[in-house]
Amino acid sequence: MIDVPARPYPYLLDPRHTALVVIDMQRDFIEKGGFGDSLGNDVARLEAIIPTVAGLIALFRKQSWLVIHTREAHRPDLSDCPPSKIRRGNPSLKIGEAGAMGRLLVRGEPGNQIVDDLAPIDGEIVIDKPGKGMFWATGLDGPLAERGITHLVFAGVTTEVCVQTSMREANDRGFECLLVEDATESYFAEFKAAAIEMIVAQGGIVGWVAPLGALEKAVAEAGAHV
Ligand code: C5J
């Protein structure tokens, strides 16, 4: 086990059974002209974490640990998108409508791709999820069970929506979850801070939180691959 300094107390990472989950680092949320922008958000806040997320992915690739990428994505006919979700927020452009990077939150469209700097490579899992959580209607339980994954490290956007929902879903399934706090971001600084406090409260009711530097240092001290 690798002992990672974390809140609310050290996180024990099992190197043979750990995967990284990078949530929704797709152009729809991070670039101007996408879904996040259409809802009136400042997307620059999210763009700023790309180098840290890249560093985290590099750490996992160097160890040959599994990397999973998710995208919030709907089928082109929107049959997996409830009308309530399309209506929500009264955005200037709705899910499925054409924006600057193609149809918003639709599979295969340019805006639905993960940003270039974090692009998946062969051997990594890419999950299209119609909801906020990564287990809902994705079939992800199967691949994780097949690989014996018991520990999940989380990054991505947005902290209080898809990251927190996915982490809660994973926690309920028995995974030991760590959120890398400088590799996640929200359009709202106060929501990110609150989500982190909710995760670590009550003895880590949802899981643990640590910065990338603490994880890198712990892995370097523990192993030969770094
Ligand atoms: C949102 C997400 N915020 N990936 N999606 O709608 O958090």
Side-chain angles (χ1 to χ4, degrees), residues 177-214:
C177 299
L178 172 71
L179 175 62
V180 178
E181 62 191 292
D182 43 353
T184 183
E185 195 46 89
S186 167
Y187 297 120
F188 310 94
E190 66 275 28
F191 290 174
K192 173 180 175 178
I196 285 174
E197 294 312 312
M198 288 177 204
I199 286 164
V200 301
Q202 303 178 72
I205 198 152
V206 182
W208 288 258
V209 173
L212 175 59

Side-chain angles (χ1 to χ4, degrees), residues 23-24 29 35 39 72 129 132 157-158 161-163 187:
I23 300 283
D24 297 1
F29 294 118
F35 182 59
L39 288 165
E72 189 170 340
K129 60 178 185 54
K132 304 303 182 193
V157 298
T158 60
V161 185
C162 290
V163 175
Y187 297 120

Side-chain angles (χ1 to χ4, degrees), residues 17-201:
H17 301 285
T18 296
L20 170 65
V21 185
V22 182
I23 300 283
D24 297 1
M25 290 298 290
Q26 61 201 67
R27 300 178 69 199
D28 289 311
F29 294 118
I30 292 171
E31 295 186 13
K32 279 205 165 297
F35 182 59
D37 189 30
S38 83
L39 288 165
N41 296 303
D42 173 11
V43 294
R45 291 184 51 81
L46 274 50
E47 187 185 18
I49 64 163
I50 291 174
T52 310
V53 179
L56 178 58
I57 291 174
L59 176 71
F60 271 67
R61 286 179 181 162
K62 196 163 183 180
Q63 301 299 322
S64 301
W65 294 343
L66 179 64
V67 179
I68 300 165
H69 306 259
T70 71
R71 297 181 289 224
E72 189 170 340
H74 294 283
R75 297 195 189 108
D77 65 3
L78 302 185
S79 58
D80 59 355
C81 188
S84 60
K85 184 175 179 184
I86 297 174
R87 285 193 301 268
R88 192 72 51 81
N90 198 21
S92 56
L93 279 173
K94 294 186 168 62
I95 295 169
E97 289 182 348
M101 296 182 285
R103 296 179 65 207
L104 298 187
L105 292 195
V106 170
R107 290 185 190 189
E109 297 289 333
N112 207 226
Q113 306 311 309
I114 290 164
V115 296
D116 287 346
D117 289 353
L118 307 178
I121 61 173
D122 280 353
E124 297 180 348
I125 295 176
V126 181
I127 294 285
D128 284 327
K129 60 178 185 54
K132 304 303 182 193
M134 68 182 190
F135 287 97
W136 165 248
T138 62
L140 180 58
D141 301 80
L144 291 177
E146 279 160 24
R147 290 167 174 79
I149 298 296
T150 54
H151 289 57
L152 293 172
V153 175
F154 283 86
V157 298
T158 60
T159 316
E160 79 282 12
V161 185
C162 290
V163 175
Q164 186 176 204
T165 303
S166 296
M167 199 166 165
R168 286 176 181 272
E169 284 184 336
N171 186 50
D172 282 350
R173 284 166 170 77
F175 292 95
E176 306 277 13
C177 299
L178 172 71
L179 175 62
V180 178
E181 62 191 292
D182 43 353
T184 183
E185 195 46 89
S186 167
Y187 297 120
F188 310 94
E190 66 275 28
F191 290 174
K192 173 180 175 178
I196 285 174
E197 294 312 312
M198 288 177 204
I199 286 164
V200 301

